[in-house]
Amino acid sequence: MEKQKFYITTAIAYASGKPHIGNTYEIILTDAIARYKKMRGYDVFFLTGTDEHGQKIENLAKDAGITPKEYVDNVAGKIKEIWDMVGADYDKFIRTTDDYHEEAVSAIFKKLYEKGDIYKSEYEGLYCVPCESFFTETQAAGGICPDCGRPVQKTTEEAYFFKMSKYTDKLMKYIEDNPDFISPEPRKKEMVNNFIKPGLQDLCVSRSSFKWGVPVSFDDKHVIYVWIDALSNYITALGYNPNNESQPELYNKYWPADVHIIGKDILRFHTIYWPIMLMALGEPLPKRVFGHPWLLFGADKMSKSKGNIIYADELVRHFGVDGVRYYVLSEMPFAADGSITYESVIERYNSSLANNLGNLVNRTLSMTAKYFDSVVPSGDVREALDDELCAAFESAKKNYCELMDDFKIADASEEVFNLLRRANKYIDETTPWILAKDEALKPRLGTVLYNLLEVIRAAAVMLYPIMPQTAKTIFEVLATNKCSFESIEAFGQLAVGSTIGASAHLFDRIDEAKKLEEINAEIEARNAAANAGNIEKPEGVAQIGIDDFMKVELRVAKVIACEGVPKAKKLLKLQLDLGYEKRQVVSGIAKFYAPEDLIGKKIIVVANLAPAKLCGVESEGMILASGEEEIKVVFLDESAKLGDRIR
């Protein structure tokens, strides 16, 4: 019988720099799902890769003194190394600088233009370089990108636009007819209520202010905007090209995708832009888009400026590949953000991997070696406790399958570790060391150890997608080829009489204080090396004369009240006392400060800025702050006099 196909993809990683563990989580998650589907008998095609065009990369390459292609070759190589290091068993790694991809993207753009879905106009608005995204004044309240929190730039340039609004009703019907298309459910509501129902704006799909991109074939002043370029990878990787008389076998076999695994921050592009592009091309839409949550450092988003980034290779060096895979997959909830700190990794490593899994395997193998010379004993003498253990196995297997099918990997993992905990309890209940003292009870002892060995084998089968190296080690030490999913359809498949290993080195308990001291020393050394270089002078800063500077009136003010702005998560409304008057200023710093952090502080305000409305709230000035990724308000000494001019 022909296997059922399953096409799964990650978002392609932006080749601007080394990915941190939050980025790496996505490839581990996708790999776990792909391995599970293969284990269940599916014909799986797993795609990942890198997104390599755009203004940000052009700027980074210029700063590094190399060509954009040299820059992305280096970064893409590092990304691939990390994907391989964490055990990602992908079928294809696409790069958007691959010749076949660029050729197909150019043809896609031309087809949409000739169909009348793309037209030339002029863009004037706000643009976020790191996110490669355009925003309206309302969306980027306070001049801050709603996605990454960095300042946006005012941009005016000639551009081509895609008629998004033409397909709004068709997209809405598809979402209604396919309730699992966007998941989890809160993400669907967000897309529908925040973007589709208010009305879709036509999408800017070309740029003329930089050159690093796929050229528009019929207008050499333009390059194709990153989202048409990047999103098309899911079909170009399978050989799709609209110029083909017929699409290749790989495309016909695997498209539409069964699921796109992406971060929640790029859900809009995958659930609105991408399906509309496919509708315009006349191609089927993906069956499901799963927007996974973020992995935070404690309670904060990882950021270089905050110094709270954790990289996968560093974690692997300290905790091993499967230690890292297990942590991120077991710690990430289905819909809410997960959290990682070195302390939490050590705690979970010790409690689950060393004390539970590792302890169970070591105890069971040691007792089998001691009492049966490492030969798998018979399990014929059964009691009620054995039935309870078997029932726990059946329950864990059933729940595991349901949860894995719905991508609830953390919950599925917990089912397996609950089974392992039950097996450890079973040892305490059956007391094998007491049974071993009475030769007449040896058949009963054999049953107990057989049941433990079989639970370990079954758990290894279910853990294989999550911890493949550990599962393989367990199969090897049990000397079994019963490692397929079919082998756990019924309890009791481990062959009696086979010789197994006397021990297995899985997970040693970590000394937390010693390990944290080692990690902190590495972090300090890394930061010292990063700060050793000189800070380069920023380019493109226009010079002004003293007369221009003197026109800006900077004054000392005190924050006497502060609160958030309704329906604007990035904005705070500050009430300021300048000594000679009180006024209100709105600032896009809510991501970095709570109101109570500001009340009572003396700050610098641009006092002669023309009033403006931000999200409908009057703002009479601007406060001074530094930074891009992390905003730091400039605070003054308490002795600074209210209303004094800053000179």
Side-chain angles (χ1 to χ4, degrees), residues 531-544:
N531 294 330
N534 295 323
I535 299 175
E536 296 183 5
K537 177 183 176 182
E539 297 182 8
V541 179
Q543 290 189 335
I544 61 173

Side-chain angles (χ1 to χ4, degrees), residues 49-100:
T50 43
D51 173 12
E52 302 183 9
H53 292 127
Q55 184 176 358
K56 182 177 181 179
I57 287 175
E58 184 175 271
N59 293 343
L60 288 168
K62 182 180 178 182
D63 292 342
I66 57 178
T67 67
K69 186 62 166 65
E70 290 172 328
Y71 185 91
V72 295
D73 283 348
N74 178 47
V75 176
K78 290 179 180 177
I79 291 171
K80 195 171 187 294
E81 285 177 8
I82 292 174
W83 282 193
D84 293 339
M85 180 194 64
V86 297
D89 187 22
Y90 47 84
D91 294 284
K92 187 166 186 176
F93 189 99
I94 187 173
R95 298 178 57 185
T96 57
T97 51
D98 291 338
D99 291 344
Y100 70 90

Side-chain angles (χ1 to χ4, degrees), residues 349-642:
Y349 186 101
N350 283 339
S351 63
S352 294
L353 300 183
N355 294 354
N356 189 2
L357 173 59
N359 186 44
L360 175 65
V361 172
N362 288 334
R363 293 169 79 188
T364 303
L365 292 176
S366 296
M367 289 188 290
T368 306
K370 183 176 181 179
Y371 304 135
F372 292 94
D373 295 325
S374 295
V375 175
V376 178
S378 174
D380 296 335
V381 183
R382 300 188 62 80
E383 294 181 0
L385 283 172
D386 309 328
D387 294 335
E388 289 180 22
L389 186 64
C390 287
F393 156 74
E394 292 293 345
S395 175
K397 180 184 67 175
K398 176 179 179 295
N399 294 338
Y400 169 88
C401 292
E402 291 175 356
L403 292 164
M404 289 294 288
D405 286 337
D406 203 25
F407 309 149
K408 294 179 179 177
I409 313 300
D411 296 328
S413 172
E414 189 62 15
E415 288 291 330
V416 183
F417 277 83
N418 282 338
L419 175 62
L420 296 172
R421 293 184 191 98
R422 182 66 188 86
N424 273 307
K425 182 181 177 184
Y426 175 80
I427 293 177
D428 297 333
E429 292 170 333
T430 56
T431 59
W433 52 91
I434 295 177
L435 296 175
K437 293 178 181 179
D438 188 340
E439 188 65 25
L441 296 177
K442 194 164 187 179
R444 174 61 188 153
L445 174 62
T447 297
V448 168
L449 291 178
Y450 181 87
N451 288 342
L452 289 169
L453 291 167
E454 177 66 349
V455 165
I456 291 170
R457 184 194 68 82
V461 172
M462 290 186 279
L463 284 176
Y464 173 74
I466 299 165
M467 305 169 65
Q469 291 183 3
T470 301
K472 288 176 181 177
T473 298
I474 291 173
F475 297 144
E476 289 170 4
V477 78
L478 293 181
T480 182
N481 60 2
K482 298 287 187 177
C483 48
S484 67
F485 203 81
E486 289 79 4
S487 73
I488 61 172
E489 287 299 320
F491 192 83
Q493 301 301 304
L494 187 62
V496 173
S498 59
T499 300
I500 62 174
S503 63
H505 183 75
L506 293 180
F507 301 99
D508 294 328
R509 187 171 175 82
I510 294 173
D511 183 322
E512 181 176 357
K514 185 177 179 181
K515 177 60 71 175
L516 288 176
E517 182 179 356
E518 179 185 347
I519 291 170
N520 289 331
E522 288 185 5
I523 293 172
E524 289 178 8
R526 184 183 70 193
N527 291 342
N531 294 330
N534 295 323
I535 299 175
E536 296 183 5
K537 177 183 176 182
E539 297 182 8
V541 179
Q543 290 189 335
I544 61 173
I546 186 64
D547 291 339
D548 293 319
F549 176 74
M550 292 304 293
K551 292 177 183 177
V552 181
E553 190 173 310
L554 304 176
R555 301 235 174 227
V556 178
K558 184 175 183 178
V559 182
I560 56 176
C562 183
E563 62 182 351
V565 175
K567 298 182 180 180
K569 295 180 180 179
K570 300 289 190 295
L571 300 182
L572 289 180
K573 180 171 63 175
L574 295 81
Q575 304 299 329
L576 305 180
D577 183 1
L578 281 76
Y580 56 85
E581 69 177 29
K582 294 180 175 60
R583 64 170 67 183
Q584 176 175 285
V585 169
V586 177
S587 179
I589 57 173
K591 180 179 177 181
F592 308 97
Y593 292 94
E596 57 268 23
D597 297 332
L598 300 169
I599 295 173
K601 297 291 179 66
K602 289 187 176 179
I603 61 173
I604 301 173
V605 62
V606 181
N608 62 334
L609 191 67
K613 281 194 174 183
L614 301 178
C615 288
V617 180
E618 184 83 6
S619 181
E620 302 171 290
M622 180 182 293
I623 66 173
L624 263 59
S626 65
E628 294 184 5
E629 290 191 3
E630 183 179 16
I631 305 299
K632 294 287 189 182
V633 173
V634 177
F635 294 120
L636 298 175
D637 187 80
E638 182 59 33
S639 62
K641 185 179 178 182
L642 295 183

Side-chain angles (χ1 to χ4, degrees), residues 28-326:
I28 297 174
L29 169 66
T30 309
D31 180 71
I33 297 169
R35 287 176 184 270
Y36 168 73
K37 288 294 183 179
K38 287 177 184 176
M39 195 167 65
R40 297 302 304 270
Y42 285 80
D43 177 2
V44 175
F45 194 90
F46 172 13
L47 174 70
T48 188
T50 43
D51 173 12
E52 302 183 9
H53 292 127
Q55 184 176 358
K56 182 177 181 179
I57 287 175
E58 184 175 271
N59 293 343
L60 288 168
K62 182 180 178 182
D63 292 342
I66 57 178
T67 67
K69 186 62 166 65
E70 290 172 328
Y71 185 91
V72 295
D73 283 348
N74 178 47
V75 176
K78 290 179 180 177
I79 291 171
K80 195 171 187 294
E81 285 177 8
I82 292 174
W83 282 193
D84 293 339
M85 180 194 64
V86 297
D89 187 22
Y90 47 84
D91 294 284
K92 187 166 186 176
F93 189 99
I94 187 173
R95 298 178 57 185
T96 57
T97 51
D98 291 338
D99 291 344
Y100 70 90
H101 171 79
E102 292 190 342
E103 180 183 338
V105 167
S106 179
I108 288 170
F109 192 95
K110 187 176 181 182
K111 178 176 180 177
L112 295 176
Y113 177 76
E114 291 175 344
K115 188 180 177 183
D117 285 334
I118 287 179
Y119 62 93
K120 184 189 284 189
S121 185
E122 185 177 80
Y123 178 81
E124 182 175 351
L126 303 175
Y127 180 68
C128 178
V129 174
C131 293
E132 301 275 5
S133 298
F134 293 99
F135 298 99
T136 64
E137 295 278 355
T138 302
Q139 291 170 330
I144 300 298
C145 172
D147 290 339
C148 72
R150 298 179 180 93
V152 292
Q153 301 176 356
K154 283 196 173 182
T155 302
T156 301
E157 63 181 272
E158 182 182 83
Y160 285 90
F161 288 81
F162 179 47
K163 294 179 180 178
M164 298 277 289
S165 54
K166 176 180 174 181
Y167 295 91
T168 303
D169 293 342
K170 191 174 181 180
L171 175 62
M172 194 65 230
K173 186 176 188 308
Y174 184 82
I175 293 172
E176 291 170 349
D177 292 345
N178 298 271
D180 292 332
F181 173 56
I182 305 175
S183 64
E185 183 69 20
R187 307 269 190 268
K188 177 168 69 175
K189 292 179 180 177
E190 178 187 352
M191 292 300 105
V192 171
N193 295 331
N194 294 356
F195 296 101
I196 300 176
K197 285 186 176 179
L200 296 177
Q201 296 182 333
D202 289 350
L203 178 67
C204 179
V205 291
S206 81
R207 300 295 303 280
S208 55
S209 57
F210 62 90
K211 294 297 182 183
W212 182 238
V214 179
V216 173
S217 60
F218 51 85
D219 190 340
D220 59 9
K221 291 193 302 181
H222 290 258
V223 294
I224 297 170
Y225 180 50
V226 67
W227 288 111
I228 278 191
D229 176 11
L231 291 166
S232 297
N233 90 91
Y234 303 124
I235 52 178
T236 64
L238 301 175
Y240 174 85
N241 187 315
N243 290 341
N244 294 337
E245 290 186 11
S246 61
Q247 297 305 330
E249 180 182 351
L250 204 61
Y251 179 79
N252 292 331
K253 179 179 182 180
Y254 287 109
W255 191 258
D258 291 271
V259 63
H260 293 313
I261 305 293
I262 60 161
K264 65 179 183 178
D265 52 325
I266 54 173
L267 196 66
R268 172 166 45 111
F269 310 114
H270 285 78
T271 59
I272 298 177
Y273 300 174
W274 177 226
I276 286 179
M277 282 173 54
L278 290 166
M279 288 174 178
L281 290 169
E283 300 299 327
L285 272 59
K287 297 176 184 177
R288 189 174 185 183
V289 180
F290 177 66
H292 65 76
W294 287 338
L295 186 62
L296 305 176
F297 181 85
D300 296 327
K301 189 176 179 181
M302 292 187 199
S303 163
K304 285 185 178 180
S305 65
K306 292 182 179 179
N308 64 356
I309 286 184
I310 298 178
Y311 293 105
D313 54 346
E314 296 172 353
L315 285 168
V316 167
R317 188 168 63 251
H318 290 288
F319 306 105
V321 172
D322 277 3
V324 174
R325 285 177 64 106
Y326 168 69

